């Protein structure tokens, strides 16, 4: 069944080519249906004015306010040397604050006539700062005239919808375009099964669309939102439920460890006991591995909660059962680190086929892109013959040349750094679909796990192993209090004097390729505010070695160094032959040096919340307490500073991931855009709507179990096809 043609009508036929082009390019809206699902961000009430006091910097805003005064100034400039330049300054107020509007040149005539004191209007523009005051330069505006003259059909009802807009298309123009297409809402096909809709007291879809765009009361808005949230949650969960259902039909080889094999020998060697959490999660994984359908499990655990140990035991169980296990790491530094720690933990059990290897031993092979040809040939041969039971590598593992004897388990470390295509290619290396274990140290709130990873079963490791120390975190406001920064370097020296080591992390490398002028990237408001490029590793290392850390052994590590050099630096630091490592975020994941107790993060405001939490997890890994100093030049009132205060105030990664998510929005849950600019969720907020998501997941599982092909629910199939356009369909397929 096709979507009702009225909603598939291209916007250029309905609104004209110019408006349609802007909508397509700037808002991603192509059809009448797309526009109907472009919901208002908020609503203005007549008579209630927006708070000018809360305007965000550098964003396009729409405000409703009253003109307080307007003054026309003349000035001399290069274009108008004889004092003929004109500037109109208009001050508007809403009771909570005042805002200046400026118009220049020929642009002053119309507003000078129209924006008289006492006039009320909607203004739209980009908030900037001039002379330390907020202003809108050349804003677009729409006068709000007396009730009699106002175009009733444009602002019907008492709530004015304010739409997510762009510089090229103000909110009220979007509102007028919606006025044109709104009658088509009557023909919207309702994806919710009738029994579900009536059972939950939800509005029919056409009514919800009318009420979201033209509400008469706040209750209208609430009813419409409740309904539209259910649509998104339910259709998305049906997509995920169908995928889980399809995965459960795939065959896989059951892998059960031998009672006295490699895994048992490894457990006997362990110098410590596993935590309760590690035992519980391992049991869940072993149950999955013993079934004849592929495991799809997400293992999330705090930095340092012992995920690698759990993953290694799963890999050894598969080797025990005659298969091979591959671990995919996002960077060479991390692959080498994993290889080192796995071979150390296994000892002679990792020396299969070698003198001194234990009888149950297997080979543990490393495969990265920068290996020499001979070593690489050797590694590939060990994989093809089955000699190597465990392989650890970067995306070099995915290349066509790599053949496995019998791939039984794929472990993906730091899920968020891998494209779906990469995981898919590795899964395709097995004779039958291998089991899949995805690990992440970025804690994921339950709702996000149900949405983004809704096709995976989830295990959580939430206790830290014995012997991990607390980490104290502090914000160092370098601009307001320079002596705090001086003290920070003194603290680093104190740690080194005690026999410990420290990291200093910077956002850039600092060689010329990295020059922000050349990268042509648009700067954010905060970058603009401080007008300086982020601090760079090479510059900072040199300044520290000459200045506050003179006499200490300072080394540098970044992603563009040759792999052998990187590995050599990491080995020297791990062996205690360097005191301070100045690095980029290459150390963010998996680097394990228990003797490193202090970390100073320069320009900490340039990093995301989860990234700061990950970086901080590199210290306090031994018995001595850790210290993390977040250095920033951002002013106290800025959002960036609040974000850093949040990181300093808690070590709870789940709490921080909520904060991070609230700031970034959810990203495209099904597609590859993982940050908030384009989201397939228009109404659903992953954090706030936990109940709706959980209920929709249960309903979806019921519907799919009863009718996997949705033959009895053609409207739901249609909605699913619309959600899973080509790209997302593939994304879900590959998972």
């Amino acid at each position: 069944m096709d979507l009702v043609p009225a909603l598939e009508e291209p916007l250029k036929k309905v609104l004209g080519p110019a408006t349609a082009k802007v909508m397509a390019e700037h808002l991603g809206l192509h059809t009448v249906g797309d526009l109907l699902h472009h919901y208002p961000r908020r609503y203005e009430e007549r008579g209630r004015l927006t708070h000018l006091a809360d305007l965000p910097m550098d964003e396009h805003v729409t405000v409703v306010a009253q003109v307080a005064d307007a003054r026309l100034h003349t000035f001399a400039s290069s274009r108008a040397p004889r004092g003929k330049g004109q500037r109109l300054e208009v001050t508007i107020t809403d009771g909570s604050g005042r805002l200046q509007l400026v118009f220049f040149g020929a642009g002053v005539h119309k507003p000078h006539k129209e924006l008289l004191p006492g006039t009320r209007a909607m203004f739209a523009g980009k908030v900037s700062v001039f002379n330390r005051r907020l202003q809108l330069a050349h804003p677009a505006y729409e006068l709000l005239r007396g009730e009699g003259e106002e175009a009733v059909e444009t602002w019907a009802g008492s709530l004015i919808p304010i739409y997510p807009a762009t510089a090229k298309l103000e909110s009220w123009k979007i509102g007028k375009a919606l006025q044109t297409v709104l009658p088509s809402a009557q023909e919207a096909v309702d994806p919710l099964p009738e029994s579900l809709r009536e059972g939950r007291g939800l509005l029919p879809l056409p009514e919800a669309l009318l009420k979201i765009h033209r509400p008469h009361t706040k209750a209208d808005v609430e009813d419409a939102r409740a309904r539209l949230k259910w649509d998104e949650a339910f259709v998305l969960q049906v997509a995920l439920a169908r995928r889980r259902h399809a995965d459960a039909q795939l065959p896989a080889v059951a892998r059960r460890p031998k009672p006295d094999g490699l895994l048992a020998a490894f457990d006997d060697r362990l110098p410590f006991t596993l935590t309760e959490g590690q035992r519980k999660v391992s049991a869940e994984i072993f149950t999955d591995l013993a079934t004849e359908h592929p495991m799809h499990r997400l293992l999330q655990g705090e930095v340092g909660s012992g995920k690698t140990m759990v993953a290694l035991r799963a890999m050894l169980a598969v080797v025990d059962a005659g298969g091979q296990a591959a671990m995919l790491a996002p960077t060479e530094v991390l692959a080498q680190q994993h290889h080192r720690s796995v071979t150390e933990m296994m000892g002679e059990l990792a020396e299969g086929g070698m003198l001194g290897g234990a009888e149950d031993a297997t080979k543990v092979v490393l495969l990265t892109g920068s290996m020499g040809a001979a070593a690489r040939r050797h590694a590939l041969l060990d994989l093809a013959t089955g000699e190597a039971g465990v392989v650890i590598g970067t995306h070099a593992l995915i290349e066509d040349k790599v053949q496995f004897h019998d791939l039984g388990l794929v472990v993906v470390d730091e899920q968020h750094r891998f494209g779906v295509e990469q995981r898919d290619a590795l899964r395709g290396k097995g004779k039958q679909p291998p089991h899949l274990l995805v690990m992440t140290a970025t804690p994921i709130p339950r709702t996000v796990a149900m949405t983004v990873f809704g096709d995976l079963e989830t295990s959580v490791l939430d206790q830290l192993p014995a012997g991990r120390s607390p980490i104290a975190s502090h914000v160092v406001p370098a601009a307001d209090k320079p002596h705090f920064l001086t003290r920070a370097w003194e603290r680093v020296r104190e740690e080194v004097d005690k026999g410990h080591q420290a990291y200093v992390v910077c956002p850039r490398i600092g060689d010329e390729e990295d020059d922000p002028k050349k990268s042509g990237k648009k700067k954010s408001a905060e970058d603009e505010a401080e007008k300086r490029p982020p601090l760079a590793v090479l510059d900072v290392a040199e300044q520290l070695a000459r200045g506050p850390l003179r006499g200490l052994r300072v080394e540098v590590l970044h992603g563009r160094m040759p792999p052998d050099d990187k590995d050599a630096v990491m080995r020297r630091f791990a062996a205690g032959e360097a005191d301070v490592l100045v690095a980029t975020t290459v150390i963010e994941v998996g680097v394990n040096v228990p003797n490193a107790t202090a970390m100073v993060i320069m320009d900490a405001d340039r990093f995301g919340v989860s990234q700061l939490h990950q970086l901080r997890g590199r210290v306090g890994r031994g018995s001595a307490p850790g210290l993390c100093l977040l250095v920033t030049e951002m002013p106290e009132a800025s959002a960036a500073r609040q974000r850093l205060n949040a990181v300093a105030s808690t070590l709870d990664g789940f709490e921080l991931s909520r904060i991070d998510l609230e700031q970034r929005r959810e990203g495209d849950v099904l597609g590859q855009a993982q940050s908030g600019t384009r989201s397939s969720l228009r109404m659903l907020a992953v954090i706030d709507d936990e109940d709706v998501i959980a209920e929709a997941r249960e309903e979806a599982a019921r519907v799919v179990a009863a009718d996997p092909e949705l033959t009895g629910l053609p409207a739901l199939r249609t909605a699913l096809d619309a959600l899973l356009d080509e790209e997302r369909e593939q994304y879900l397929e590959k998972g």
Side-chain angles (χ1 to χ4, degrees):
M1 170 174 169
D2 288 336
L3 255 183
V4 174
L7 271 73
E8 283 190 340
E9 189 81 45
L11 286 172
K12 58 174 178 281
K13 284 194 172 169
V14 186
L15 302 174
T19 308
K21 185 167 186 263
V22 175
M23 286 195 170
E25 285 175 8
H26 294 274
L27 296 169
L29 308 175
H30 303 277
T31 64
V32 168
D34 291 344
L35 181 54
L36 285 173
H37 288 293
H38 186 70
Y39 307 132
R41 176 176 289 176
R42 57 189 170 84
Y43 300 86
E44 281 300 341
E45 293 174 66
R46 283 220 173 69
R48 188 183 71 81
L49 297 168
T50 329
H51 290 301
L52 289 178
D54 303 335
L55 286 182
M57 263 297 293
D58 213 33
E59 278 191 24
H60 285 283
V61 297
T62 303
V63 295
V64 176
Q66 191 157 5
V67 176
D69 71 30
R71 297 174 184 203
L72 191 60
H73 302 273
T74 53
F75 59 92
S77 72
S78 56
R79 288 187 178 175
R82 288 199 292 277
K84 295 282 172 57
Q86 290 192 313
R87 181 174 78 246
L88 175 64
E89 290 178 2
V90 178
T91 306
I92 58 173
T93 177
D94 66 353
S96 77
R98 296 165 83 82
L99 179 65
Q100 190 164 45
L101 317 177
V102 291
F103 300 88
F104 292 99
V108 304
H109 306 308
K110 185 166 178 270
H112 189 215
K113 284 208 294 279
E114 294 183 335
L115 297 179
L116 305 171
T119 308
R120 290 189 68 232
M122 292 173 73
F123 301 93
K126 192 173 184 180
V127 183
S128 57
V129 174
F130 181 71
N131 279 347
R132 302 198 151 219
R133 287 171 60 194
L134 293 182
Q135 69 167 27
L136 294 182
H138 282 287
Y141 63 88
E142 178 93 341
L143 301 180
L144 296 176
R145 300 187 172 85
E147 293 301 305
E149 312 161 44
E150 188 178 333
V152 177
E153 60 282 352
T154 310
W155 310 124
S158 59
L159 293 169
I160 303 171
I162 306 289
Y163 290 92
T166 72
K168 298 268 192 289
L169 203 63
E170 295 86 15
S171 169
W172 54 83
K173 288 187 182 159
I174 296 171
K176 283 177 176 165
L178 266 151
Q179 196 65 38
T180 310
V181 302
L182 207 51
S184 307
Q186 294 301 342
E187 301 185 40
V189 183
D190 201 324
L192 293 193
E194 202 159 325
S195 55
L196 187 157
R197 186 168 60 72
E198 287 174 356
R200 294 187 175 273
L202 298 167
L203 298 178
L205 182 57
E207 192 180 333
L209 289 171
L210 287 171
K211 285 188 168 172
I212 200 79
H213 293 296
R214 291 294 173 266
H216 290 284
T217 63
K218 286 183 177 168
D220 284 354
V221 175
E222 287 314 304
D223 292 349
R225 278 190 171 149
R227 162 61 216 245
L228 295 166
K229 277 178 182 178
W230 252 95
D231 268 25
E232 287 177 12
F234 181 69
V235 175
L236 179 58
Q237 291 300 339
V238 166
L240 294 166
R242 289 187 71 204
R243 180 148 169 229
R244 284 195 302 277
H245 184 271
D247 281 342
Q249 314 305 310
L250 290 172
V253 180
R255 311 278 179 176
R256 295 182 188 85
K258 296 195 289 258
D260 52 356
L262 180 60
L263 178 62
F266 175 76
D267 284 351
D268 290 344
R269 282 181 52 95
L270 285 179
F272 50 81
T273 53
L274 297 173
T275 65
E276 184 55 42
Q278 285 174 316
R279 279 202 294 274
K280 180 176 128 298
V281 170
S282 289
E284 292 171 350
I285 291 172
F286 292 153
T287 305
D288 284 358
L289 290 175
T291 60
E292 296 189 343
H293 300 292
M295 163 171 83
H296 286 104
R297 190 166 282 280
L298 171 71
L299 170 57
Q300 50 171 337
E302 276 290 12
V303 178
S305 56
K307 293 183 300 297
T308 311
M309 172 59 69
V310 169
L312 177 56
R313 292 183 72 239
M315 290 162 82
L316 298 181
V318 168
V319 175
D320 241 356
Q324 291 169 293
M327 181 186 253
L328 195 55
T331 63
E332 292 211 353
V333 168
L334 190 51
Q336 286 160 343
Q337 172 100 19
H338 276 320
H339 182 253
R340 247 196 325 270
S341 58
V342 164
T343 46
E344 277 165 20
M345 283 194 276
M346 286 176 66
E348 71 265 21
L349 295 175
E351 295 169 0
M354 292 188 248
L355 274 174
E359 63 175 297
D360 287 314
T362 186
K363 237 185 202 181
V364 179
V365 170
L366 175 69
L367 189 65
T368 63
S370 65
M371 284 168 74
R376 187 179 169 78
R377 232 184 357 261
H378 214 94
L380 290 173
L381 190 64
D382 283 344
L383 288 184
T385 59
E387 185 88 8
V390 174
V391 58
I392 295 167
T394 54
H395 45 260
L397 280 177
I398 296 164
E399 291 176 10
D400 293 342
K401 294 191 198 75
V402 181
Q403 298 296 323
F404 288 86
H405 178 65
D406 179 13
L407 181 61
L409 171 66
V410 174
V411 178
V412 179
D413 190 21
E414 283 313 315
Q415 146 67 26
H416 63 284
R417 298 185 170 212
F418 279 104
V420 174
E421 289 79 8
Q422 293 169 307
R423 277 185 358 228
D424 186 45
L426 189 52
R427 269 163 64 181
K429 301 266 182 198
K431 296 188 175 67
Q432 285 194 323
H435 298 281
L436 175 70
L437 179 65
V438 166
M439 299 199 296
T440 178
T442 308
I444 301 165
R446 174 171 167 258
T447 42
V448 185
M450 286 192 293
T451 319
V452 183
F453 299 105
D455 58 312
L456 301 174
E457 300 302 325
T458 304
S459 297
V460 179
L461 274 176
D462 47 13
Q463 353 160 222
L464 291 184
R468 291 299 301 257
S469 305
I471 305 170
S473 306
H474 305 283
V475 177
V476 177
D480 316 351
K481 299 179 178 165
H483 59 286
F484 276 37
L485 185 56
T486 310
R487 177 72 190 120
W489 301 125
E490 286 169 8
R491 283 291 289 113
V492 170
R493 290 196 90 99
E494 287 164 18
E495 288 300 309
V496 173
D497 289 345
K498 288 184 205 159
H500 297 307
Q501 292 160 281
Y503 298 102
V504 177
V505 181
C506 306
R508 314 178 23 240
I509 297 173
D511 48 17
E512 56 307 310
E513 287 178 54
D514 204 54
D515 184 348
K517 287 196 209 58
K518 294 179 189 163
S519 72
K521 276 192 183 153
K522 267 189 72 206
K523 294 197 179 75
S524 76
E526 291 176 341
D527 287 1
E528 283 294 345
E530 51 175 19
K531 290 284 193 262
R532 76 161 174 73
L535 291 170
V537 165
L538 301 176
D539 306 341
V540 169
E542 192 182 333
Q543 288 159 14
L544 291 176
R546 285 210 311 258
L549 302 184
R550 198 169 43 247
L552 301 188
R553 296 168 300 176
V554 177
E555 292 249 15
V556 164
L557 181 70
H558 60 73
R560 278 213 285 274
M561 289 164 65
D564 290 350
D565 295 1
K566 274 192 283 203
D567 203 35
V569 168
M570 225 32 249
R571 278 176 194 275
R572 283 199 295 276
F573 190 66
E577 292 162 19
D579 301 316
V580 178
L581 186 61
V582 183
T584 55
T585 53
V586 290
I587 62 154
E588 176 189 354
V589 179
V591 171
N592 184 21
V593 180
N595 190 44
T597 53
M599 175 176 285
V600 181
I601 302 180
M602 307 304 290
D603 278 343
D605 45 89
R606 312 276 178 132
F607 299 97
V609 170
S610 295
Q611 203 173 24
L612 290 170
H613 182 58
Q614 287 275 3
L615 285 166
R616 169 170 66 183
R618 302 298 114 217
V619 296
R621 299 178 80 86
S623 51
L627 172 69
C628 179
L629 301 173
L630 306 167
V631 179
T632 177
E633 294 186 359
M634 282 293 144
E636 197 155 357
S638 63
R641 198 58 180 271
Q642 288 162 1
R643 206 166 62 225
L644 296 181
N645 291 340
V647 174
S649 68
T650 177
L651 290 172
D652 179 344
F654 285 92
E655 179 52 36
L656 289 174
S657 68
R658 289 181 80 94
I659 294 167
D660 194 23
L661 198 62
E662 279 161 6
Q663 291 184 332
R664 288 188 308 133
R665 285 189 56 240
E666 288 77 19
D668 194 334
V669 166
L670 291 179
Q672 291 165 326
Q674 285 294 309
S675 75
T677 42
R678 62 176 263 263
S679 169
S680 55
L681 301 185
R682 296 185 176 90
M683 188 57 80
L684 199 64
V686 167
I687 288 286
D688 302 334
D689 297 318
E690 183 164 344
D691 300 349
V692 176
I693 293 170
E695 289 169 26
R697 185 179 166 102
E698 282 170 28
E699 293 274 13
R702 262 202 294 281
V703 166
V704 171
D707 180 4
E709 292 304 310
L710 308 179
T711 36
L713 298 164
L716 176 55
R717 274 234 57 137
T718 301
L720 208 54
D721 295 342
L723 174 76
L724 304 178
D725 54 32
E726 278 299 292
E727 173 200 1
R728 294 204 184 104
E729 182 79 69
Q730 288 170 358
Y731 186 92
L732 272 185
E733 283 300 307
K734 291 176 176 170

